[in-house]
Amino acid sequence: MFEIFGNPTTASGAVVTPDSAMRVSAVFSCVSLIAGAISQLPVHVYERTEESRKRADHDYWWLLNEQMSSAWPTAAAWEYLVAQVLLRGDGIAYLKRNRAGQVTAILPWPRNQVQILEQERDSPRDERRLQYTFFDKEGYFTVDQADVLHLPGFGFNGVHSMSVIQWGACNGIGIALQGDEHAGKFFSEGGKPEVAITTTGKMTTGQQDEFRDAWVKKYGGNQGNRRIPLILTQGLDVKELTMSAVDQQLLESRQWQVIDVARAFGVPPHMIGETTKASSFGSGIEQMSISFVKHTLGPHLKRFRDELNRKLFLTSRFFVEHNVDGLMAGDSKAQGEYFGKALGGPGTQGWMTINEVRRMKNLPPVEGGDRLYNPTDYQAGPGDTTKKDENDDDSEAAAAG
């Protein structure tokens, strides 16, 4: 455990583990946001051709998009694996193969129930190869790295990766945990500070006990002796025992911890509900959302694709790719303008066909919709109108099909 997480005790005194970290709302929001975004991305299988690529009707599509195994729907499996990457550094899954070597199921496995060791090498020049030991209450088994889907996080060193909660947000999460506990105690006691009672005379021990009992019955909280007042006799005085929530800047501190945790996970704060520093409207938020896809999800997706390609296919003929268009799409007006430019028009070369656009919108193809628009099929006429090309008997029909 210490090899994976290091010393879980932080400077604040809180113990930060994957389980305790997820009790912090900012951590829960960041993990669920990233894992949920990746889990909803379609994973398409492509086949390389001489000059380009084409979508392939491959058996692995079902594993990567619908069901990884009989117990794991693919969306839930992706969320679990991505959460393991963020909280523990690596997401591990066992690849179950048939006798022909084809993967028939992908079994996600808890990272803390997998031991990763390097196989012996005769020379430091030999390539490093790993073996994985999986264990649970039923027993254990050991396999070569070829039968393991190892999704790495940032800082992969050939064996394991760096956990965000261990390296990037350990102390921040510890402070947040202590802040949550302190705030809970403070408000459970009505938000009242500790007090001292002064008297100019002298009170016997019995009188002090009777006074404390009466005070606790009236104003006591549920935190043991925390709200039992101190009694100062014979003119002794005290100015202040505890600071108020305002003096402690409790709310400001909790707000700063949200931003600090979001920074460690690479998530724009507004996406986990922290909008005090930015407007919830306008192009700024939209651009930050696009940046989230490019700079936060992008590195994860690239690492995952590399691992999927090298473990599933064992060849360069096939490869997978995540379709992020759904996350990058704007509103209906923005999509209409984008697709209008993509299809092309008079004087503008199109780069998408009608059927490609319809496929993205989950619509069936139409006849003649697989041809790119060619501006030479049209010639501009007076009044910004179009007329048929004299060399084409039916240029509109030719452009459509």
Side-chain angles (χ1 to χ4, degrees):
M1 296 295 292
F2 276 88
E3 180 184 353
I4 298 174
F5 300 114
N7 188 350
T9 304
T10 62
S12 65
V15 176
V16 177
T17 66
D19 292 336
S20 66
M22 285 295 282
R23 291 198 291 268
V24 177
S25 61
V27 176
F28 186 94
S29 297
C30 288
V31 173
S32 61
L33 175 67
I34 297 174
I38 292 178
S39 69
Q40 65 179 303
L41 296 177
V43 183
H44 298 312
V45 181
Y46 292 92
E47 181 180 4
R48 286 185 173 88
T49 62
E50 294 183 359
E51 298 180 355
S52 182
R53 66 178 185 178
K54 64 178 181 179
R55 287 274 293 273
D57 184 12
H58 201 285
D59 293 338
Y60 287 168
W61 183 92
W62 180 261
L63 293 176
L64 299 175
N65 294 275
E66 297 295 338
Q67 178 177 286
M68 284 194 178
S69 68
S70 58
W72 283 97
T74 296
W78 276 121
E79 285 185 330
Y80 180 80
L81 289 171
V82 175
Q84 294 285 294
V85 171
L86 297 174
L87 296 174
R88 300 180 181 271
D90 305 274
I92 306 294
Y94 170 61
L95 299 177
K96 187 176 181 180
R97 301 181 185 270
N98 57 20
R99 293 184 178 181
Q102 185 178 18
V103 177
T104 58
I106 302 175
L107 308 178
W109 213 272
R111 175 63 183 89
N112 61 333
Q113 295 182 16
V114 180
Q115 183 184 41
I116 307 175
L117 296 175
E118 290 187 49
Q119 297 181 3
E120 293 184 1
R121 294 180 293 170
D122 296 331
S123 169
R125 295 182 178 179
D126 294 341
E127 294 185 9
R128 176 182 296 175
R129 196 163 187 87
L130 305 178
Q131 66 180 25
Y132 296 75
T133 299
F134 296 79
F135 57 92
D136 61 12
K137 63 180 181 179
E138 304 297 335
Y140 69 93
F141 61 94
T142 301
V143 296
D144 181 72
Q145 65 180 29
D147 294 324
V148 178
L149 188 66
H150 185 160
L151 302 180
F154 172 77
F156 182 67
N157 63 1
V159 179
H160 54 78
S161 309
M162 301 172 68
S163 165
V164 176
I165 66 171
Q166 176 191 356
W167 296 95
C170 186
N171 280 323
I173 295 172
I175 295 174
L177 285 170
Q178 293 291 64
D180 286 344
E181 182 178 357
H182 173 73
K185 290 180 179 179
F186 184 84
F187 289 110
S188 70
E189 296 163 358
K192 299 184 294 292
E194 295 181 7
V195 297
I197 307 300
T198 62
T199 175
T200 57
K202 183 177 181 180
M203 296 178 66
T204 65
T205 302
Q207 291 174 326
Q208 294 182 28
D209 292 340
E210 290 178 0
F211 179 82
R212 289 193 185 98
D213 291 340
W215 179 277
V216 171
K217 288 180 181 179
K218 178 66 175 177
Y219 302 108
N222 58 1
Q223 298 297 327
N225 296 327
R226 181 174 174 81
R227 285 296 174 256
I228 296 177
L230 174 67
I231 299 177
L232 305 175
T233 64
Q234 296 181 323
L236 295 177
D237 191 12
V238 64
K239 295 300 183 182
E240 187 176 76
L241 295 181
T242 58
M243 295 184 294
S244 66
V246 175
D247 294 333
Q248 296 179 76
Q249 295 184 323
L250 182 61
L251 298 180
E252 290 83 353
S253 174
R254 288 166 63 81
Q255 181 185 53
W256 181 84
Q257 290 307 133
V258 172
I259 298 175
D260 189 46
V261 170
R263 182 188 302 116
F265 282 93
V267 173
H270 80 275
M271 299 191 74
I272 58 172
E274 174 50 59
T275 58
T276 57
K277 301 299 182 181
S279 171
S280 298
F281 305 94
S283 60
I285 295 295
E286 181 180 356
Q287 291 301 317
M288 282 191 288
S289 300
I290 295 175
S291 178
F292 167 72
V293 176
K294 291 182 177 180
H295 303 299
T296 301
L297 299 186
H300 291 298
L301 297 179
K302 173 57 177 167
R303 290 192 294 266
F304 297 170
R305 286 198 301 269
D306 290 346
E307 182 69 3
L308 289 169
N309 290 333
R310 77 190 192 107
K311 294 293 181 64
L312 295 182
F313 302 113
L314 307 177
T315 177
S316 61
R317 177 184 175 186
F318 295 101
F319 66 97
V320 299
E321 189 170 286
H322 295 86
N323 186 351
V324 299
D325 291 338
L327 297 180
M328 300 286 284
D331 54 25
S332 299
K333 180 181 178 181
Q335 289 190 53
E337 294 176 352
Y338 172 79
F339 288 137
K341 295 179 180 179
L343 290 172
T348 304
Q349 174 68 54
W351 67 84
M352 294 183 69
T353 66
I354 294 175
N355 283 340
E356 287 175 334
V357 174
R358 293 179 64 86
R359 187 182 301 115
M360 293 178 62
K361 305 303 293 183
N362 293 322
L363 297 173
V366 297
E367 184 178 356
D370 293 321
R371 179 179 176 182
L372 284 174
Y373 178 86
N374 190 344
T376 60
D377 292 340
Y378 293 83
Q379 293 180 347
D384 293 331
T385 60
T386 60
K387 65 179 181 179
K388 295 194 301 182
D389 192 335
E390 296 179 355
N391 296 325
D392 192 343
D393 293 337
D394 190 354
S395 58
E396 292 184 358

